[in-house]
Amino acid sequence: MRTVSGFALLGMILAAPLALAAPPNAPPKADAPPPPGINDPGVTTPAPQTDSVAPAAADSAVADPLAPLPKPDTRLVRDKATRTNVATPERIAASDVTTRQQGNDTVEEYRQNGHVWMIRIVPQNGPAQVFMDTTGSGRLTNDPRQGPVAPVYFSLYEWN
């Protein structure tokens, strides 16, 4: 008898949420709109109101969301070896070049009108370092196009 009453009590506990639910033929709530039809165009949102006049390109993008996107930037990215230096070939050709050995390094000094405007240090092993006067103050700094950090490159393994 206890088992039967336990099952009856369990059945009433599980059936209580079903009894509180709305009947299947009840009308939908007033705050929820009906679902759209299969051929309905969809929801449109109004354009934001601004006080200033927007450019024509922005108006056309809002007017036609299927307009083609602008073309991506397809310029080639130049690596460090192919960058153009601030030192133009004409300026280098017009300079007086003094080459000297300092330890195992070769130092090339480029002068114009008696002023050193560029120094190129070529170590025995490793990449060349270029220091130049870009402002005309006489202060030699790293090539600005090489960035703030001068990375060190070492060949770990080569073949051929």
Side-chain angles (χ1 to χ4, degrees):
M1 187 71 171
R2 277 174 111 176
T3 307
V4 174
S5 64
F7 281 120
L9 181 62
L10 182 63
M12 287 191 300
I13 291 174
L14 293 177
L18 296 176
L20 296 177
N25 56 0
K29 293 184 177 182
D31 59 347
I38 195 161
N39 293 325
D40 287 347
V43 179
T44 59
T45 57
Q49 299 294 330
T50 58
D51 294 338
S52 64
V53 178
D59 288 341
S60 65
V62 171
D64 187 15
L66 299 177
L69 296 173
K71 294 188 177 184
D73 185 12
T74 57
R75 292 178 291 178
L76 294 176
V77 177
R78 297 180 297 165
D79 60 340
K80 183 179 174 185
T82 61
R83 291 182 187 157
T84 58
N85 282 337
V86 176
T88 60
E90 296 86 18
R91 188 170 183 192
I92 292 174
S95 299
D96 297 327
V97 181
T98 305
T99 304
R100 60 186 166 88
Q101 286 293 117
Q102 189 171 358
N104 291 332
D105 300 340
T106 303
V107 178
E108 299 172 357
E109 294 180 353
Y110 294 83
R111 296 177 183 269
Q112 273 188 334
N113 301 328
H115 298 287
V116 176
W117 68 274
M118 184 171 86
I119 293 178
R120 185 169 183 245
I121 302 170
V122 182
Q124 186 176 8
N125 297 321
Q129 298 174 344
V130 178
F131 299 95
M132 56 181 60
D133 179 13
T134 56
T135 61
S137 64
R139 184 177 181 92
L140 299 174
T141 57
N142 285 336
D143 185 0
R145 295 189 183 193
Q146 291 182 356
V149 177
V152 179
Y153 297 101
F154 292 103
S155 295
L156 298 178
Y157 182 75
E158 291 182 357
W159 58 91
N160 285 343

